[in-house]
């Protein structure tokens, strides 16, 4: 079927949501707009679906969500005798609507659904899967993307996102489903009365928070420190659970940014609700003019990422990177566990391989085993599950990604900004009692181990032509690898798609044992590094730069050179 025929079919049949019909009518005769909505179907991968909300096969809407859910139902009914599923959703536009429609479809396919009665953080969904021992899980979220996006993330029975194999088989089922005739559904109220849909009670969140609290290593320190925190949930899901856990551990001076407190998928004061960027803190910084807080805390809409800003000696607030927070948390947990005699000789910490190598140096100091895994928190979830199966779950200290995702404990199998917010505030309280800010702590770590500067460049490629361009760039880098980057010689090329690690000088090739992934990593002289990979959730290529210098100034100069070369390679 050609694109115009597909458009006409949707115009005729897409009547489940009145917004779709109006949108399709508005683009009649506009070939570019029609092409953008129908040139492809949203792909279902290990990150599920993610796209702009709207009409068409390349949009998040009732039919694309329904088709994915029917395919997932078929997958679950094939593999489980009595399948069940947990569903959560965030504050995004249509998230609750999509979650209820998905529940109706699953129920119509005989699958028991546990549905959160209100929006909750992504880690709460991961927790619920294991709490109810369900076969799978879904959360409707687009994490920290702009307001026009929504997404549909699928989890397996272990509580982490589907593996490549599981997602691949589910996608095969999805492709067999007709958008308009292949989706089973039923009345929501009937599904509830029949026991096919059950709302989760407060006891689930209470159990989640109880597990989070167990990760404290200095319970009571927050009351001593009298820490002042300005918190913004960025109009997302963190408002209730983060405030509750902070209150529970004794952080009593929490001031919430009023215009970003309540759920609002339009994100009116922060178009990019991403705690990685300074804009996310603008309202909090303004609020801090009157409240001299020690710490500014921001969680993204689905509360799986958290960012911080710390007041420095001149009274201004300095944003700290995901790598810096990850390293500080690791150092704090390891040092406190060692001091208290609770650090296992078999302790293990983990990070994504694009995150700072400084974490490995810190772990080595405490004789903690360290692992680097592919980007994607599911790999950390897999590791925890493996440790649990071996009876070694208590050995897990923490895992993190440079993109502001952290997890301590094994209560969830995805990044968790609730436990991370709690530990950040506990850590800040501990050091405050000892006369240090988190900036002081980080500078001390740099003095001890050297200055590791990690930075990321993002290259956006929108639309149909953008996807082709991204593939072309990655192919070119594979077939014509650069010999030098930023004036530094390429010493090793790791191709995670080909599973090869090539020593450039000798030509020796070793096998990479991690799962295949469309990633290229270039080791450079003097410990510097460039990693290039397409995003798994957004139409962009990311370039991760590691620059190692004796101080920040020298590292910045090195990073600038490498980024300039990356600009030339990715264009």
């Amino acid at each position: 079927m050609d694109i115009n025929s597909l458009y006409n079919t949707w115009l005729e049949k897409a009547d489940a949501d009145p917004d779709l019909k109006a949108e399709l009518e508005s683009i009649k005769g506009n070939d570019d707009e029609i092409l953008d909505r129908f040139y492809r179907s949203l792909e279902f991968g290990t990150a599920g679906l993610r796209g702009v909300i709207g009409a068409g096969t390349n949009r998040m809407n009732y039919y694309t969500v329904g088709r994915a859910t029917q395919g997932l139902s078929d997958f679950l009914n094939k593999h489980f005798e009595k399948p069940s599923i947990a569903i959560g959703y965030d504050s995004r536009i249509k998230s609750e609507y999509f979650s209820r429609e998905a529940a109706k479809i699953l129920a119509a396919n005989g699958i028991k659904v546990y549905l959160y009665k209100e929006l909750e953080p992504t880690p709460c969904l991961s927790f619920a899967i294991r709490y109810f021992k369900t076969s799978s899980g879904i959360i409707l979220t687009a994490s920290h993307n702009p307001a026009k996006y929504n997404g549909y993330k699928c989890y397996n029975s272990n509580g982490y996102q589907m593996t490549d194999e599981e997602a691949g088989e589910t996608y095969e089922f999805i492709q067999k489903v007709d958008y308009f005739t292949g989706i089973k559904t039923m009345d929501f109220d009937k599904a509830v009365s029949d026991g096919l849909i059950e709302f989760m009670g407060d006891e689930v969140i209470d159990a989640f928070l109880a597990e989070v609290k167990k990760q404290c290593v200095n319970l009571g320190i927050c009351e001593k420190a009298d820490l002042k925190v300005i918190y913004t949930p960025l109009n997302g899901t963190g408002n209730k659970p983060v405030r509750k856990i902070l209150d529970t551990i004794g952080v009593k001076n929490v001031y919430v940014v009023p215009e970003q407190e309540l759920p609002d998928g339009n994100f009116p004061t922060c178009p990019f609700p991403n705690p990685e960027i300074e804009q996310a803190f603008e309202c909090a910084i303004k609020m801090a003019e009157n409240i001299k807080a020690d710490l500014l805390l921001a969680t993204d809409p689905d509360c799986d990422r958290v960012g911080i800003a710390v007041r420095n000696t001149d009274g201004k607030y300095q944003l700290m990177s995901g790598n810096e927070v990850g390293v500080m948390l690791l150092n704090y947990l390891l040092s406190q566990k060692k001091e208290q005699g609770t650090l296992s000789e078999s302790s293990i910490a983990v990070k994504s391989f694009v995150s700072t190598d400084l974490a490995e140096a810190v772990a080595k100091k405490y004789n903690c085993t360290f692992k680097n895994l592919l980007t994607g928190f599911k790999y950390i979830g897999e590791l925890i599950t493996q440790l649990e199966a071996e009876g070694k779950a208590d050995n897990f200290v923490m895992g993190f990604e440079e993109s502001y995702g952290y997890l301590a404990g094994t209560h969830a199998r995805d990044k968790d900004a609730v436990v991370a917010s709690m530990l950040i505030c506990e850590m800040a309280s501990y050091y405050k009692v000892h006369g240090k800010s988190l900036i002081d702590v980080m500078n001390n770590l740099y003095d001890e181990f050297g200055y590791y500067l990690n930075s990321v460049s993002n290259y956006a490629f929108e639309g149909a032509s953008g996807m082709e361009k991204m593939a072309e760039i990655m192919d070119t880098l594979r077939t014509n690898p650069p010999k030098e980057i930023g004036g530094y010689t390429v010493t090793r090329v790791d191709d995670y798609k080909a599973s090869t690690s090539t020593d450039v000088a000798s030509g020796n090739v070793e096998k990479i044992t991690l799962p295949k992934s469309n990633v290229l990593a270039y080791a450079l002289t003097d410990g510097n590094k460039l990693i290039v990979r397409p995003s798994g959730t957004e139409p962009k290529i990311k370039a991760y730069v590691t620059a190692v210098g004796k101080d920040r100034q020298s590292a910045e100069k090195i990073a600038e050179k490498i980024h300039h070369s990356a600009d030339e390679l990715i264009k």
Side-chain angles (χ1 to χ4, degrees), residues 144-209:
H144 56 287
N145 285 94
K148 66 179 181 178
Y149 285 88
N150 209 329
Y152 176 106
K153 291 167 66 174
C154 280
Y155 291 71
N156 64 18
S157 59
N158 293 314
Y160 50 80
Q161 287 183 50
M162 280 185 161
T163 64
D164 294 341
E165 184 178 351
E166 291 165 334
E169 187 178 352
T170 301
Y171 187 46
E172 289 178 8
F173 278 110
I174 292 170
Q175 290 178 300
K176 297 174 184 176
V177 178
D178 184 272
Y179 286 99
F180 302 106
T181 62
I183 302 168
K184 299 176 185 177
T185 189
M186 68 182 296
D187 179 76
F188 186 88
D189 291 336
K190 178 170 173 51
V192 173
S193 64
D194 289 350
L196 286 166
I197 296 176
E198 179 182 328
F199 284 105
M200 294 184 237
D202 292 338
E203 69 275 4
V204 183
I205 295 300
D206 290 343
F208 169 81
L209 292 175

Side-chain angles (χ1 to χ4, degrees), residues 238-253:
N239 188 36
K240 289 184 179 181
V242 170
R243 292 171 73 176
K244 188 170 183 178
I245 197 64
L246 294 185
D247 181 70
T248 300
I249 67 166
V251 184
K252 302 299 182 181
N253 300 315

